[in-house]
Amino acid sequence: MRKNRKKTVEYGKYGLIFIIPFFIAFLIFQFYPLVYTIFKSFLYDSKAGRHAATTTTFGLGNYINYVFGSAGNGELWQALIITIVLWLLNFIPQILLSLLLAAWFTDSHFKLKGTGAYKVIMYMPNIITAATIAVLFYNFFNINGMITKTLINAGIVSKDGLIDKGWWSLIIIAFIQFWMWYGNTMIVLIAGIMGINPSLYEAAMVDGATSRQQFFKITLPLLRPILQYTMVTSAIGGLQMFDIPQLFNKGIPLIQVGNSTIKSTTTVVMLIKQYASLGSTTENLGRASAYSVVLFLATLLVSLVFYKLTSEKNK
């Protein structure tokens, strides 16, 4: 007699098949460029003597000369500070407003009507391309722009406008980033709040807790993983900021910081692109690669700090 055997489907192997394309794309387009960039950052041109031929050497020359040495004129650290300031100027109001709106739209006391329409309107800037938004705001704030003309006629700014002033350009770019991304952050936080068990809020309401008490005692603690995700992804995107500053004014406006004058909106990625596009020489590519590695380490450090601050162990 044949033994009756139950046919079972092993879904695990199909899962592995479906994720293979991701790993192939990751290895080709992300992992390999990362390893290659790190390798190129250790290649630099050197000479044994004044009349000796230039040779390509493997070592820390790019880091010694350009990152920490005088050959780089401190441009990397200036660009890194500008990048962090730009990111903080847009991220702090972004996360605060997004939290406020998310709590408002999900609060059962208010019972707002048409919340779906509000969410769509606030999310819409996120679906517009960065190039379009940069050109739009440039036309608003250039010397002949509508907003600049209005401010000049009102006597708020001088006749030379705002776009060529370093601090104003920095603030405008930060506002563009804030306006583009607060809707996306709000949607993510709303999804996180809606995932919290409603019985917790019902029990709090029975105990007489106000909306403010519910937000700080229930919503914020349970929203910690979503806040962690939001902060880390914002740090990664913010420190790699390129498109808006590049298209808006290419980092040209200058500001005075101490005894040095720096370009107010030149980010680290803009600096990397500047040297990478100069040519395929070892010096230029090595310098750009070294700057890329420093940016990678800075992004990793900031992400780890946010991860630590929002970790469950810090409750």
Side-chain angles (χ1 to χ4, degrees), residues 15-56:
L16 291 174
I17 293 172
F18 285 127
I19 64 176
I20 284 175
F22 163 76
F23 283 106
I24 294 175
F26 173 78
L27 290 173
I28 296 175
F29 297 107
Q30 290 185 314
F31 184 75
Y32 171 73
L34 176 63
V35 174
Y36 184 71
T37 300
I38 295 174
F39 170 74
K40 291 291 290 186
S41 71
F42 290 103
L43 297 180
Y44 67 98
D45 292 333
S46 63
K47 288 185 178 181
R50 178 179 297 181
H51 301 290
T54 301
T55 59
T56 301

Side-chain angles (χ1 to χ4, degrees), residues 234-282:
S234 175
I236 294 172
L239 293 178
Q240 296 177 3
M241 195 183 307
F242 171 76
D243 43 12
I244 297 295
Q246 176 71 19
L247 294 169
F248 188 72
N249 58 17
K250 299 182 181 180
I252 295 173
L254 304 176
I255 56 175
Q256 192 72 23
V257 179
N259 296 324
S260 61
T261 302
I262 63 175
K263 293 181 179 180
S264 65
T265 54
T266 299
T267 64
V268 179
V269 177
M270 291 173 65
L271 197 63
I272 293 169
K273 189 254 183 187
Q274 174 185 331
Y275 288 104
S277 61
L278 288 177
S280 58
T281 63
T282 303

Side-chain angles (χ1 to χ4, degrees), residues 25-209:
F26 173 78
L27 290 173
I28 296 175
F29 297 107
Q30 290 185 314
F31 184 75
Y32 171 73
L34 176 63
V35 174
Y36 184 71
T37 300
I38 295 174
F39 170 74
K40 291 291 290 186
S41 71
F42 290 103
L43 297 180
Y44 67 98
D45 292 333
S46 63
K47 288 185 178 181
R50 178 179 297 181
H51 301 290
T54 301
T55 59
T56 301
T57 308
F58 186 87
L60 298 174
N62 291 319
Y63 296 95
I64 295 172
N65 297 328
Y66 300 119
V67 177
F68 300 106
S70 58
N73 296 320
E75 62 181 2
L76 173 63
W77 304 112
Q78 293 174 1
L80 184 61
I81 292 173
I82 289 295
T83 304
I84 293 174
V85 169
L86 274 173
W87 169 58
L88 290 177
L89 283 177
N90 86 79
F91 176 70
I92 293 175
Q94 177 192 142
I95 192 67
L96 293 177
L97 179 62
S98 299
L99 271 173
L100 177 63
L101 292 174
W104 191 26
F105 286 145
T106 55
D107 196 323
S108 58
H109 288 93
F110 291 107
K111 296 181 180 179
L112 295 175
K113 295 182 179 179
T115 56
Y118 289 130
K119 294 174 186 176
V120 171
I121 293 171
M122 293 176 181
Y123 185 77
M124 281 184 66
N126 189 248
I127 65 177
I128 305 174
T129 62
T132 304
I133 292 179
V135 172
L136 173 67
F137 275 83
Y138 180 83
N139 290 327
F140 280 158
F141 286 98
N142 64 26
I143 192 63
N144 298 314
M146 178 181 67
I147 295 179
T148 302
K149 286 291 186 181
T150 303
L151 295 175
I152 292 174
N153 294 334
I156 299 175
V157 300
S158 58
K159 293 183 179 180
D160 55 353
L162 297 174
I163 200 170
D164 293 327
K165 299 183 185 303
W167 289 109
W168 276 110
S169 290
L170 189 140
I171 292 172
I172 292 170
I173 291 173
F175 174 78
I176 295 173
Q177 293 286 135
F178 156 77
W179 182 67
M180 279 186 64
W181 289 100
Y182 85 96
N184 179 75
T185 304
M186 178 196 68
I187 295 297
V188 172
L189 294 177
I190 287 176
I193 293 174
M194 294 181 67
I196 298 174
N197 193 339
S199 62
L200 298 175
Y201 294 102
E202 294 171 1
M205 291 173 63
V206 170
D207 291 338

